[in-house]
Every structure is written in C-alpha cells, then in structure tokens.
Amino acid sequence: AEVVHTHVQSMLSELADYERRNIFDAGEIKMILKKRTKYEYRLQRRIVKKADFLTYIQFELFVDRLRTTRCKLRRVTGASNTSDFGIVQRIHRLFRSALLKFKGDLK
C-alpha cells in the first residue's frame, strides 16, 4: 500500500495542473485518480497478471489521447511542462515493469 500511496502522490501535481489549465474538470480528475489507484493496487497484488499491466497501459493511452485532443480543441497554449510528460513517463514505467515481470513472454 505504501508503493501505491507514493505513486498516487506523484500524480497529484500533474492532475492539479490539468485542472488549472482546464484540460479536465474536477469530476474527471477524480475519476482518473480513482481508476489509477485501482490499477496501482492491482499491480501490487501477490499474483500480477499481464492483463493488469495491459489494461492500465490502455487506460493511460486513452487519457493521453483525450488530453492531446482537448489541448488542440481548447487551444491550450504555453510551454510544455512536466505534467504533459507525466503520462508518457508512467506508460514507460508500466512497460518496463511488465517486461521485468514477464521476461520470457514473447506475446
């Protein structure tokens, strides 16, 4: 649970930035945080399935696509900041963890 708490805490500034920049509203931020917490707990189970990693990665890719689309539609401008790369870093972390966990799996 401590690892999940650490990962969730690292997401808070990113999510607050999305809300401040009007990319996501408060309800959407709450839903994203709830789903991410659920997925993080799944990855901390004793027996982790490959499907757990894949569904979490798919969710993060969806959030990233939605963020990109809304930035274009709402003409969110300004310099890219760390919150713009938070999702990409999370996806890379998930892929690395999955590759370490399932070394021999070629699928």
Side-chain angles (χ1 to χ4, degrees), residues 10-19 36 83 86-87 90:
S10 69
M11 299 174 199
L12 294 179
S13 62
E14 170 191 338
L15 294 172
D17 187 54
Y18 291 152
E19 187 174 11
R36 283 180 175 174
S83 66
I87 293 175
R90 191 168 303 102

Side-chain angles (χ1 to χ4, degrees), residues 23-24 28 66-75:
I23 297 171
F24 296 111
E28 292 169 325
L66 185 60
R67 180 194 62 81
T68 303
T69 304
R70 287 189 179 177
C71 283
K72 288 178 185 175
L73 289 175
R74 296 176 182 176
R75 296 189 173 115

Side-chain angles (χ1 to χ4, degrees), residues 31-100:
M31 185 273 308
I32 290 170
L33 189 60
K34 192 174 184 179
K35 283 198 169 219
R36 283 180 175 174
T37 304
K38 178 182 82 169
Y39 289 130
E40 288 290 339
Y41 273 111
R42 281 185 182 176
L43 296 183
Q44 297 304 314
R45 290 189 295 197
R46 190 171 296 236
I47 299 174
V48 182
K49 299 174 185 166
K50 185 170 49 170
D52 295 332
F53 283 102
L54 295 176
T55 54
Y56 193 4
I57 291 168
Q58 285 175 336
F59 174 72
E60 290 297 331
L61 288 171
F62 170 76
V63 171
D64 189 42
R65 261 186 263 119
L66 185 60
R67 180 194 62 81
T68 303
T69 304
R70 287 189 179 177
C71 283
K72 288 178 185 175
L73 289 175
R74 296 176 182 176
R75 296 189 173 115
V76 175
T77 57
S80 295
N81 54 20
T82 56
S83 66
D84 292 332
F85 302 109
I87 293 175
V88 175
Q89 290 172 345
R90 191 168 303 102
I91 292 170
H92 282 287
R93 177 182 60 84
L94 290 169
F95 270 118
R96 278 193 310 270
S97 296
L99 287 172
L100 285 172

